[in-house]
Amino acid sequence: MKVESYKIKGWKKKETGVLISENENWILVNHIPADYALDGFKLYRKKFVKKRVSGKSEKQIERVLNLKNKKTPELKDFVFSDVLDTLKWSEKKYGLFEFQDKGETELFYGKINRTENDILVIDMIKSNGQIEENYDYDFSLKKIRSITFETDYFESIRLLMTDEIKNYLQQRV
């Protein structure tokens, strides 16, 4: 088990996770949002990673996780790909995706509406699970810094969205 922290270009806070795998473009971690808590998976685009550290505080986290008998999880059926294909994979597997771009405090949940060249247009999924199909904002695929899935919050939004869809379909009957 190896815990690393990452300084992401344009973000103030460091990101920490248990390294699972990487390729030339991405780093896949079991995300550590605070202290010694593991929460889902996070992909970081290497071109936005300014610094990687596995120092004293990361060694302390490793020690605690080992004492808790935490194992590095496997992510079945995941294959490294480009940004768009990774978002499509997440949407197919979970029904939605989550990503962050240059704003470290903004999480975007959605479904792909359309793409045009490097521009992604999404149907936004709001925090109450409602899908806003007329969300009129373009995202540059080149600026997406991280993609997240299977966190507690991600699962909560997914469940709310599924329930909203079910309620909508029941009302139409």
Side-chain angles (χ1 to χ4, degrees):
M1 174 182 304
K2 182 175 185 180
V3 174
E4 291 185 333
S5 291
Y6 309 96
K7 176 63 179 133
I8 308 297
K9 182 180 177 186
W11 295 1
K12 290 184 171 122
K13 291 183 176 180
K14 70 179 181 177
E15 295 276 314
T16 302
V18 176
L19 180 65
I20 295 173
S21 185
E22 66 182 295
N23 72 359
E24 64 277 358
N25 298 313
W26 294 98
I27 301 167
L28 174 64
V29 301
N30 189 190
H31 186 56
I32 302 172
D35 298 326
Y36 308 109
L38 296 170
D39 190 20
F41 300 95
K42 199 156 188 174
L43 279 164
Y44 300 107
R45 279 178 85 181
K46 281 187 173 179
K47 76 178 192 175
F48 293 108
V49 175
K50 290 172 51 176
K51 189 175 182 182
R52 289 173 82 161
V53 177
S54 186
K56 188 176 178 182
S57 67
E58 290 80 14
K59 298 294 183 208
Q60 176 74 15
I61 295 168
E62 280 178 29
R63 181 177 177 208
V64 170
L65 294 176
N66 283 321
L67 290 168
K68 291 166 89 175
N69 290 318
K70 296 291 184 179
K71 304 292 180 216
T72 305
E74 287 185 38
L75 186 58
K76 295 182 174 143
D77 80 344
F78 176 78
V79 177
F80 287 107
S81 192
D82 63 22
V83 174
L84 184 57
D85 285 340
T86 303
L87 294 174
K88 286 178 181 178
W89 169 83
S90 181
E91 185 175 346
K92 181 179 178 188
K93 180 169 180 158
Y94 306 105
L96 73 159
F97 50 75
E98 173 190 332
F99 67 86
Q100 288 175 273
D101 56 11
K102 60 186 180 246
E104 79 179 290
T105 59
E106 293 181 296
L107 304 174
F108 297 97
Y109 292 86
K111 295 173 163 287
I112 296 171
N113 180 303
R114 68 185 181 281
T115 56
E116 299 166 10
N117 300 319
D118 178 47
I119 301 301
L120 170 69
V121 179
I122 68 172
D123 291 339
M124 173 72 91
I125 300 169
K126 299 192 264 182
S127 61
N128 63 3
Q130 292 179 340
I131 301 172
E132 187 177 331
E133 293 180 354
N134 296 319
Y135 185 72
D136 191 25
Y137 191 81
D138 297 342
F139 296 94
S140 170
L141 291 169
K142 292 180 184 174
K143 293 183 180 178
I144 292 177
R145 285 157 168 71
S146 74
I147 299 173
T148 308
F149 37 91
E150 292 190 24
T151 64
D152 184 68
Y153 195 76
F154 180 94
E155 288 299 312
S156 299
I157 298 298
R158 187 183 65 75
L159 290 169
L160 285 167
M161 177 195 71
T162 302
D163 194 52
E164 283 290 321
I165 291 168
K166 182 179 86 179
N167 290 338
Y168 173 78
L169 292 174
Q170 286 176 346
Q171 290 173 0
R172 295 191 69 204
V173 174

